[in-house]
Amino acid sequence: MKQESSGFIEVCLRLINSNLRHFWLCASIVIIPTLAVFALVMWVIEPTYRSKAIVTPPSASKTSLQGLGSLLGGASGGLSSLLGFSFSDNDANAVWTILNSWELHNMVIDKFNLAEHYEFDGNFHADLLKEFRKNFSLDCNKESMFEVAIEDKDYKLAAAMVQFMLDKADSAFNAFKTAQAKQSREYMQSRLDSCEHALDSLLQGFTKFQVEHDFYDPEIQLESTIKYLGELQSRREELSIELAFEKADRGEGSKRYDELSKRYKSVNSALNGALNGKQKNVGVVSLKKSPELTAEYMQWKAQIKIQEALYKILRQQSEELRMEESKMLTNLHVLEAPWENDKKVAPLRGVTLIFTVFVTFLIATIVANTLDYLKEEEARDSSVAEQWKAFKGFFRKQKA
């Protein structure tokens, strides 16, 4: 370990001594480029400024189908796919595309005459567009906000360009949403008309079914029918007991027996008529037909319920799309507006000068130690020294 430490120290001392022996050479190699770079970054290279804005992307606008589940018992998912709706929102992607579009970038180039500002002398507009995009950046930060930034030699112009892009992007997005809302509204209106026609047909068919079968409310009618039949059955049993008693007491020829017989036949006829559905005009339901009628009644009600739910949601969505089509509001909300930031972002003077000093010092050290090495080789008259003499002799011949 001691030998390694001594060897390392020896190497460092050799490097330092070589630099000191060629002090003025090393100083020239370091100072002259550093002064040149300092003059460039201070007075020759124009500084670059950066103007930035932070905007919120459009919020996800979900359709009113979210409330349809309560109307249809949670079946809104399948219905949304049936109607062609989707809860996924692509508005943020649309804004991102607009901000990166060549149409918007061309507007900025034409508005601020960037061809003259950049001193562009190319033959192709695509090269000018590429030059602008080198200075433009669009990123999404950790908070999912959009950062729009432009770098330019004029910080006032940079802020103006960012503001112009935000205004045009908002206008383009509004136009996009308006056209989208119009197309959706027209489709929604056609669906609304067809749904309304289907609902009217169902209501007419349901009314016809109720009138033909005198079947208006199964729950109430069946309850009343069973109660009515129970009363008739009880009355018939009472009459049957009285007839049997009268027959045993006075015989079948008595006047009371005749009255009881007539009443028994009347009750029995009413009971048979009720069982066969002959009294449906007064709301009495035939028990034999009631299961079939109830099933058909429930089918009508289910179809009407679905169509009513569809009609409500389509009506509400149509009104929302009409409002969306008619409004022209700001969708891009600026959290941090672009401002005339006069702090330079390039060139980085300190970093550039430190890098220049470091590189030139490294070159100077290599040159100084190379010269000492060659001097030692000349003293030993080695093969390296012979090559070095031949190299110097070549340049002497050129001068001669």
Side-chain angles (χ1 to χ4, degrees):
M1 295 297 292
K2 292 182 179 179
Q3 291 180 354
E4 291 180 2
S5 178
S6 299
F8 175 74
I9 293 175
E10 182 182 356
V11 171
C12 292
L13 290 174
R14 281 179 177 273
L15 294 176
I16 294 172
N17 290 330
S18 295
N19 289 345
L20 292 176
R21 278 193 293 269
H22 301 279
F23 176 77
W24 294 111
L25 176 62
C26 293
S28 300
I29 293 176
V30 174
I31 293 175
I32 293 175
T34 302
L35 291 176
V37 171
F38 179 77
L40 287 174
V41 298
M42 287 295 295
W43 297 292
V44 178
I45 300 177
E46 294 187 41
T48 301
Y49 305 92
R50 180 183 177 89
S51 181
K52 181 180 70 173
I54 298 179
V55 297
T56 60
S59 58
S61 57
K62 296 184 178 181
T63 64
S64 55
L65 281 173
Q66 290 174 312
L68 190 58
S70 60
L71 298 174
L72 297 178
S76 61
L79 182 60
S80 63
S81 61
L82 175 65
L83 296 176
F85 297 138
S86 175
F87 290 144
S88 61
D89 190 271
N90 295 320
D91 289 349
N93 294 334
V95 173
W96 184 277
T97 302
I98 292 171
L99 288 171
N100 275 316
S101 65
W102 65 268
E103 293 92 342
L104 180 58
H105 295 176
N106 280 339
M107 290 182 187
V108 179
I109 292 172
D110 295 337
K111 171 69 176 179
F112 298 96
N113 194 15
L114 295 185
E116 181 179 347
H117 179 67
Y118 290 158
E119 298 179 357
F120 179 74
D121 55 358
N123 297 323
F124 302 101
H125 184 77
D127 294 332
L128 177 59
L129 188 63
K130 186 184 297 183
E131 183 71 20
F132 169 75
R133 286 177 171 173
K134 288 180 181 178
N135 302 321
F136 168 76
S137 65
L138 175 63
D139 298 308
C140 187
N141 60 19
K142 296 180 180 179
E143 292 77 21
S144 299
M145 304 297 176
F146 291 167
E147 291 186 358
V148 185
I150 291 180
E151 294 182 359
D152 197 82
K153 298 174 182 178
D154 185 347
Y155 60 88
K156 294 184 178 180
L157 182 63
M161 285 192 287
V162 173
Q163 186 61 53
F164 177 79
M165 290 191 71
L166 293 179
D167 294 340
K168 289 298 181 181
D170 186 69
S171 177
F173 180 73
N174 277 329
F176 162 73
K177 291 297 293 181
T178 300
Q180 189 182 52
K182 181 180 179 181
Q183 183 179 5
S184 300
R185 180 189 57 78
E186 291 175 351
Y187 165 77
M188 196 67 61
Q189 187 62 44
S190 64
R191 293 286 296 126
L192 183 63
D193 293 341
S194 62
C195 181
E196 186 176 4
H197 178 73
L199 182 60
D200 290 341
S201 299
L202 284 174
L203 290 175
Q204 291 177 4
F206 183 54
T207 303
K208 184 178 180 181
F209 163 78
Q210 289 179 308
V211 172
E212 287 180 353
H213 299 281
D214 293 305
F215 201 69
Y216 303 98
D217 194 327
E219 185 176 354
I220 296 176
Q221 285 182 269
L222 285 175
E223 182 180 358
S224 301
T225 299
I226 293 174
K227 184 178 180 181
Y228 176 67
L229 291 176
E231 292 176 353
L232 289 178
Q233 181 67 22
S234 298
R235 183 59 179 160
R236 188 176 70 169
E237 291 178 357
E238 291 176 1
L239 290 174
S240 177
I241 293 172
E242 290 182 7
L243 278 173
F245 180 79
E246 183 67 24
K247 180 178 180 181
D249 185 26
R250 299 180 182 177
E252 296 181 358
S254 67
K255 184 176 181 181
R256 177 171 172 74
Y257 184 85
D258 291 339
E259 291 179 359
L260 290 174
S261 296
K262 292 179 182 179
R263 290 168 61 185
Y264 178 83
K265 291 179 181 179
S266 176
V267 172
N268 192 54
S269 176
L271 181 60
N272 291 331
L275 290 173
N276 295 325
K278 295 181 179 180
Q279 300 180 17
K280 64 179 183 178
N281 56 340
V282 294
V284 178
V285 182
S286 173
L287 294 181
K288 294 181 181 179
K289 297 181 179 179
S290 61
E292 181 181 353
L293 293 176
T294 302
E296 189 173 354
Y297 179 91
M298 296 304 295
Q299 289 179 357
W300 281 106
K301 290 289 290 184
Q303 293 180 17
I304 290 174
K305 183 179 180 181
I306 293 175
Q307 288 298 325
E308 286 178 345
L310 278 173
Y311 181 80
K312 288 179 181 179
I313 197 64
L314 290 172
R315 185 73 179 182
Q316 181 179 355
Q317 189 67 24
S318 178
E319 293 299 324
E320 290 179 1
L321 291 173
R322 287 180 184 275
M323 294 174 62
E324 185 73 21
E325 183 181 359
S326 62
K327 72 178 183 180
M328 289 297 289
L329 302 177
T330 300
N331 291 281
L332 301 182
H333 300 286
V334 180
L335 297 181
E336 182 181 320
W339 59 289
E340 298 174 357
N341 186 5
D342 57 354
K343 182 179 180 180
K344 302 173 186 176
V345 294
L348 302 174
R349 296 176 184 173
V351 175
T352 304
L353 292 175
I354 292 173
F355 179 77
T356 303
V357 170
F358 176 78
V359 172
T360 54
F361 179 77
L362 180 62
I363 294 173
T365 301
I366 294 173
V367 171
N369 283 270
T370 302
L371 292 176
D372 280 351
Y373 170 75
L374 293 173
K375 187 175 181 180
E376 291 177 359
E377 293 296 321
E378 285 180 348
R380 290 190 298 176
D381 197 18
S382 64
S383 59
V384 176
E386 292 180 2
Q387 296 296 327
W388 174 241
K389 290 178 182 178
F391 179 74
K392 291 190 294 183
F394 175 78
F395 284 99
R396 288 172 184 169
K397 291 179 182 180
Q398 292 293 333
K399 290 180 180 179

